[in-house]
Amino acid sequence: MFDVRTVESGACCDQERDSGDSAMSMTARRRRAFQRQACLLSVLAAFSLGLALGVFVPLIGISQAATKGAIVVDAVQGSGVEREPQSSLQALHHPAHQMPHFPTIDDIRSDDGPRGRYASVSFIAEEKLNGEGEVIFHPKLDPDSLMDRKLPVPAASIVEQMLAGSSKVASAPVLERRESRASKLEEVNREEVEGVVRDGIYWGSSVERALPVGFDRRQSESWARYLREAEVERLEIGCGRMQNRLLVFRDGTRACARYRQNTDQIQGELFSFYLGQLLNLTNLAPSAASIIDPEARLWAAATEELAGAQWKPTKPVVITKWIGNLEPAGIPQPFRPLERHLNRFDVRNITEGLDRPRDGVRRLLLDRLGTARDIPVGMGATPSSTALPSQPPSPEVLERLVELAQWSDLIVFDYLIANLDRVVNNLYNFQWNADIMAAPAHNLARQTDSALLVFLDNESGLLHGYRLLKKYEAYHGLLLDNLCVFRRSTVQALEGLRDASVGQRLNALFERTTTAQIRDVLPPLPEKSIKILVDRIDRVLGQVQKCRETFAVR
């Protein structure tokens, strides 16, 4: 049993203990609060004292020093006795800082000034300035006035150092200005005399005269008349695709017949040929449409070969005149990757041989500048003796320019019809085969006896190629965007097609050159294709205008 008094006394003790603890905790809290306040006050007082010492004490010292200095100066000026305080003040204080004096042109030219201190510097001797002051360069490029000027002739060693890449040529500015003037004169002479480039964006007369004749409209009309009277003797395997055939006529004439199950490709081949005629292109072989009819005079003697070729009656075919002496044609260097452009500066580099490898360029410049080594220094030189000689392009260079002129037509033509089976084929496969641009172009041949480029296999143009523009448009515009030299006749033909209705002219040509039997199975060019063609003509003419603004001679 528990004692009640013991329990009560224990409870009382607990109450007293709790009250004592609470009193002690209150005292401790007050003590800590007082300590915090005292600490903050001491920090604030220390900060205030430091601020006062740091600001006011230096001000008091400066004012006292100024007062003492004034007293010493007054004493020295008054009696001249108290000199010791001045020396002590100078020992305590450094002399006042003086700004340095920079010599002016008046100090140098003054007779009273310290001529030994400021020496005159001259980069050109005064006697040379007062001597023969001939004007070497004149801002106007007048050949008559330039003939009387004396031009400095670089020594042979300087030319060799320049070609070797030396950066320590003493007469570099003079050479640069002379070469700039000579290059301008040479450019004018070349464009006027040689006729390589005209108006900055067109092929000149010398290149136009050297172009191969090709196949004009008269030959195309003659081929269409021939097919109306000709007779096919036999069909042979050949002419590319598996279903194509080589036709041999009774008189020995040969031709390629293009047969397709899909009439779109026959339309594309035929209307691409018509567009080439409207553009006055002579690179497309004469072609004409026909219908497979075993009872017709054209096919009557070759019915067995028609059955063996699995050609169905009433199917349209395109018969193209056979072109002999053909070889594969490669892609010129200006249209390959990393150098995919052609403008008048590229043509000039080709004309002067500056597109050769580095060693070849050095030898060429040494040969052309070598005549300047034998000219005495005092004799002077005319621009014609220091500039590159103005002469017509060599046969080798002219052959390259003729090829590039035909390629300019090819790029425009393939862009208009959106041809997938020529250069676009190489460009598209370049992502897998880096050497494909060095390979021969697809469906492009070169006639060995005339250097004529023949544009073969245009069946994807105007219809099938237009359906795939979203996939291949970037490749179509790649070459056109970097072409800035055109044939003037091609641009004029495009301007005529833009002003007139190109669709009506194509369909009118189709009506005039085909029979009613052909038109029953072969429809005209769709209106959708005509609209796309009109847009692409505007795109080409826009590129011509862009090149005119950039490269035209003003």
Side-chain angles (χ1 to χ4, degrees):
M1 297 297 293
F2 293 99
D3 190 356
V4 177
R5 290 176 297 179
T6 304
V7 174
E8 291 177 354
S9 62
C12 293
C13 292
D14 292 337
Q15 292 177 358
E16 292 177 358
R17 191 182 301 111
D18 293 338
S19 61
D21 292 340
S22 61
M24 292 177 62
S25 62
M26 290 293 294
T27 304
R29 290 195 195 97
R30 291 173 183 172
R31 187 182 297 111
R32 283 195 294 269
F34 176 76
Q35 290 175 354
R36 284 196 296 269
Q37 292 176 359
C39 182
L40 291 175
L41 290 174
S42 62
V43 170
L44 182 60
F47 176 76
S48 301
L49 181 61
L51 182 63
L53 292 176
V55 174
F56 295 105
V57 172
L59 293 177
I60 296 173
I62 292 173
S63 61
Q64 291 179 355
T67 304
K68 291 180 181 180
I71 295 173
V72 172
V73 171
D74 293 339
V76 171
Q77 292 179 354
S79 60
V81 177
E82 297 181 15
R83 296 181 181 272
E84 187 175 355
Q86 182 181 2
S87 61
S88 62
L89 183 62
Q90 291 179 354
L92 293 175
H93 299 280
H94 295 285
H97 178 70
Q98 296 181 356
M99 294 296 294
H101 176 68
F102 296 99
T104 63
I105 191 66
D106 296 330
D107 297 331
I108 296 175
R109 293 179 177 178
S110 177
D111 296 334
D112 300 333
R115 300 184 63 86
R117 182 178 179 184
Y118 304 124
S120 176
V121 179
S122 177
F123 293 95
I124 302 176
E126 294 181 359
E127 57 272 11
K128 292 185 178 181
L129 290 176
N130 298 327
E132 297 179 358
E134 296 185 1
V135 180
I136 297 178
F137 297 102
H138 198 273
K140 295 183 179 180
L141 295 176
D142 188 3
D144 297 332
S145 63
L146 289 173
M147 294 294 291
D148 299 330
R149 307 295 182 185
K150 290 185 178 181
L151 295 175
V153 181
S157 60
I158 295 179
V159 176
E160 293 174 355
Q161 291 177 6
M162 178 185 66
L163 296 176
S166 175
S167 61
K168 298 181 179 180
V169 181
S171 59
V174 178
L175 288 174
E176 183 178 357
R177 284 180 289 177
R178 188 191 65 190
E179 290 174 357
S180 176
R181 181 183 60 183
S183 63
K184 291 180 180 179
L185 285 174
E186 179 198 358
E187 182 177 353
V188 174
N189 291 335
R190 286 187 181 277
E191 290 183 355
E192 293 180 354
V193 178
E194 300 171 12
V196 174
V197 176
R198 177 184 178 185
D199 297 335
I201 61 171
Y202 299 118
W203 293 106
S205 57
S206 62
V207 178
E208 290 286 347
R209 287 194 301 266
L211 286 172
V213 177
F215 311 101
D216 55 12
R217 187 170 299 183
R218 290 178 300 177
Q219 296 186 31
S220 300
E221 294 175 353
S222 175
W223 177 249
R225 290 193 301 268
Y226 172 81
L227 291 179
R228 297 190 190 103
E229 304 295 334
E231 297 180 15
V232 176
E233 185 178 53
R234 65 182 184 273
L235 278 68
E236 297 179 356
I237 297 177
C239 295
R241 299 289 181 91
M242 183 177 63
Q243 287 188 309
N244 293 350
R245 288 295 183 269
L246 175 65
L247 306 183
V248 181
F249 297 90
R250 288 191 181 276
D251 59 357
T253 303
R254 293 184 295 177
C256 282
R258 184 180 306 277
Y259 178 89
R260 293 290 182 273
Q261 296 292 340
N262 190 355
T263 58
D264 286 357
Q265 294 173 318
I266 300 298
Q267 282 180 284
E269 181 71 28
L270 187 62
F271 281 96
S272 295
F273 172 73
Y274 290 156
L275 180 62
Q277 285 190 313
L278 295 180
L279 295 176
N280 300 318
L281 301 182
T282 61
N283 304 89
L284 286 84
S287 301
S290 180
I291 294 294
I292 302 300
D293 185 5
E295 298 180 358
R297 179 179 179 179
L298 181 63
W299 308 102
T303 54
E304 295 182 2
E305 285 83 356
L306 292 176
Q310 298 181 355
W311 284 9
K312 297 180 181 180
T314 70
K315 279 287 187 179
V317 293
V318 175
I319 303 176
T320 303
K321 186 177 181 180
W322 172 265
I323 308 299
N325 302 323
L326 296 180
E327 64 179 4
I331 301 175
Q333 188 65 32
F335 300 122
R336 296 183 185 180
L338 303 181
E339 298 183 16
R340 197 180 293 123
H341 55 80
L342 181 67
N343 52 54
R344 68 186 181 101
F345 299 114
D346 299 318
V347 174
R348 185 184 176 199
N349 290 338
I350 294 173
T351 305
E352 298 176 359
L354 298 179
D355 63 329
R356 302 176 184 178
R358 185 178 181 86
D359 295 338
V361 174
R362 289 183 177 181
R363 287 195 299 270
L364 177 66
L365 290 177
L366 282 173
D367 294 340
R368 293 189 175 183
L369 293 175
T371 56
R373 303 176 185 176
D374 302 330
I375 302 176
V377 177
M379 296 297 293
T382 61
S384 60
S385 63
T386 57
L388 299 179
S390 177
Q391 57 184 1
S394 63
E396 179 184 358
V397 172
L398 187 59
E399 182 179 357
R400 293 184 60 189
L401 298 179
V402 167
E403 181 186 18
L404 291 175
Q406 296 180 82
W407 264 86
S408 65
D409 275 347
L410 174 65
I411 292 173
V412 171
F413 178 69
D414 278 357
Y415 180 82
L416 291 176
I417 67 175
N419 194 344
L420 302 175
D421 296 332
R422 204 166 359 251
V423 186
V424 170
N425 184 285
N426 293 65
L427 292 174
Y428 183 75
N429 290 291
F430 178 73
Q431 54 188 324
W432 297 289
N433 183 7
D435 298 329
I436 196 169
M437 297 302 291
H442 198 54
N443 290 325
L444 182 66
R446 181 177 181 271
Q447 201 168 24
T448 56
D449 55 350
S450 64
L452 175 71
L453 293 181
V454 182
F455 306 163
L456 303 171
D457 193 1
N458 304 300
E459 63 181 16
S460 65
L462 298 174
L463 290 119
H464 183 64
Y466 284 176
R467 297 192 190 100
L468 300 176
L469 281 179
K470 291 184 179 180
K471 183 177 181 180
Y472 295 102
E473 178 61 20
Y475 300 98
H476 289 304
L478 193 60
L479 293 178
L480 180 66
D481 291 339
N482 293 282
L483 176 67
C484 273
V485 185
F486 308 88
R487 292 190 63 193
R488 192 178 187 89
S489 59
T490 304
V491 175
Q492 290 176 345
L494 285 172
E495 292 172 347
L497 292 178
R498 180 186 59 183
D499 298 335
S501 176
V502 61
Q504 291 180 0
R505 295 187 63 179
L506 286 174
N507 289 327
L509 195 58
F510 174 66
E511 293 279 343
R512 183 167 57 86
T513 57
T514 57
T515 62
Q517 185 183 11
I518 296 174
R519 292 192 294 271
D520 288 340
V521 297
L522 196 64
L525 192 64
E527 188 66 27
K528 183 177 180 180
S529 296
I530 294 175
K531 291 181 180 179
I532 297 176
L533 177 59
V534 171
D535 293 339
R536 297 179 84 79
I537 290 175
D538 291 337
R539 171 71 175 81
V540 173
L541 293 177
Q543 175 66 16
V544 175
Q545 179 61 28
K546 176 183 175 182
C547 296
R548 184 180 291 112
E549 295 173 355
T550 306
F551 297 104
V553 178
R554 295 176 176 84

